[in-house]
Amino acid sequence: MRFPYAFSLLILTVFPAASATLIWESPLPVYEADVPSQSGLDAIGVANGLDGVKAVLPLSSPGSVTVTRFGQSGAAYGEQITSGVTVGSAGITLTGLKGDCGYMVEWAGGSYKFWICDYSAHRLSLASVSPSAEQDNCSLTALDVAGTGDEIAYYGITGRRFTLSRDIEVSYLTQIYSDDSDSWVDSPVAKKFDALS
């Protein structure tokens, strides 16, 4: 007699901070983005969908806990939530997270503020890249890009807008004149873009 077995993969991503450590429990990796100090955030996570994603602050005795979810207006205009918030021996666990939202978790000994981006709502999609028909000389090459890749915005605790870079890189060869060989030689060039606009 055969028994079917089910396996699941749990990936943990740890974000350290001064007052606590945030652990993401997720079926897919949650990537860490650099956090500018002006944002007032302790962490920025980027998840490819939020099904099964949990945020855990492993605190032994947090006492009274308040969780506020906020958007582009900042934490002062957020809404206090209780659904999906569990306080237990493992610490503070948040489930049912909404993408492109910030969360401020406050307890007797401190606070932790993070933003979670749902990349599945902001996927980069390229249909084609071709030379533009509007080029008028050989000193400039313009490209027409068909696709989507807008900025991925997030907001700090005061409502200040920031964007994540998509790190789109375009590399190509150009030619430069070489006095040594008295000819034109290929020279590699790479340009980075935060988003398609």
Side-chain angles (χ1 to χ4, degrees), residues 15-35:
F15 295 88
S19 60
T21 300
L22 181 66
I23 299 172
W24 296 100
E25 294 182 2
S26 174
L28 296 172
V30 176
Y31 295 97
E32 178 180 0
D34 292 334
V35 181

Side-chain angles (χ1 to χ4, degrees), residues 43-95:
I44 302 167
V46 181
N48 191 9
L50 292 173
D51 289 341
V53 176
K54 297 178 185 177
V56 180
L57 286 165
L59 302 169
S60 58
S61 300
S64 178
V65 173
T66 303
V67 178
T68 304
R69 181 174 51 226
F70 62 93
Q72 64 187 25
S73 298
Y77 297 98
E79 64 173 319
Q80 196 169 359
I81 60 169
T82 56
S83 177
V85 178
T86 305
V87 180
S89 59
I92 305 166
T93 303
L94 278 64
T95 59

